[in-house]
Structures are given as structure tokens and as C-alpha cells.
Amino acid sequence: QVQLVESGGGLVQPGGSLRLSCAASGSIFSINAMGWYRQAPGKQRELVADIASGGTTNYADSVKGRFTISRDNAENTVYLQMDSLKPEDTAVYYCSAEIRRTSFSTNKYRYWGQGTQVTVSS
């Protein structure tokens, strides 16, 4: 009933830029926090950035100053602008969202997108 679909990944040169998008759809009453995670081969999944419904942001130290997370609440969409990309940014990037599904239940659930590949290489 709820789906998160990422887009915008691809192959870029070091120093290049990409903009990732994630749109939530389905049975949604409201969305609380949204965020981006990544997982590189042989490494654990890590938080890249997240953003609260009110706009407060948090970034991993490794991407501070290079990545910017934003959201469009009217469109249930979160973005990740990635600049000055480095080879170590290569990973599958996953969108995540905490979602309240109905007006008559306060329960919130975490959903994940399918992931989009980002490869930084010359």
C-alpha cells in the first residue's frame, strides 16, 4: 500500500554531482522523518542524511558540506543533492520514511525504497 521509489542514480566522475529523488505513494496520512541511507559493498548500511517534517536536518560527517537533503511535503518527496562526489561515495542509496497511514491510528511505520546505484569513478 505504501511505496517509496528512488530515482536519479548513475555513474559520475569524481567531483561531479547527482540529485536523488524519492517519492512516497499509496495509503499515506502523514510522513514524519525522511532520510537517505547508503550501503557500499562489504560495508554496513549507514545514515547519510535525514530531515524531520519541520525541516531539521542531520548529516553524516563524511558528507557534510557536500550533500544537501530537502523535502517537498506537498509531494511526499525527499531529495538528496550530492556535490563534489568522491569515489568513496559509491554505494546503493536507499530512501526511508516514517509514515502514519490513517487518521484513526497513530501508529507509524518505517518504509524503504528499493535503492538506486551511485557510482563515482573516472
Side-chain angles (χ1 to χ4, degrees):
Q1 288 185 285
V2 175
Q3 293 183 311
L4 302 179
V5 179
E6 302 102 330
S7 62
L11 173 65
V12 296
Q13 300 275 0
S17 297
L18 283 174
R19 183 175 175 85
L20 305 183
S21 299
C22 172
S25 63
S27 181
I28 299 171
F29 178 73
S30 64
I31 301 178
N32 193 2
M34 303 185 79
W36 290 94
Y37 293 73
R38 68 186 181 187
Q39 187 166 24
K43 300 181 67 176
Q44 296 185 35
R45 183 179 297 184
E46 64 175 349
L47 174 69
V48 177
D50 59 24
I51 182 168
S53 59
T56 301
T57 59
N58 179 58
Y59 297 92
D61 288 341
S62 60
V63 306
K64 286 181 178 177
R66 300 188 298 118
F67 292 9
T68 303
I69 189 170
S70 61
R71 64 190 287 172
D72 184 339
N73 291 330
E75 299 294 333
N76 291 335
T77 300
V78 63
Y79 305 93
L80 186 68
Q81 177 67 43
M82 304 185 293
D83 299 318
S84 301
L85 283 161
K86 304 175 180 179
E88 51 262 45
D89 294 318
T90 296
V92 177
Y93 284 70
Y94 297 91
C95 173
S96 182
E98 185 181 51
I99 295 174
R100 180 181 174 184
R101 296 183 61 190
T102 67
S103 63
F104 48 85
S105 174
T106 59
N107 292 340
K108 297 179 177 66
Y109 303 88
R110 177 169 289 277
Y111 295 87
W112 294 88
Q114 81 288 349
T116 184
Q117 178 71 49
V118 172
T119 302
V120 184
S121 177
S122 59

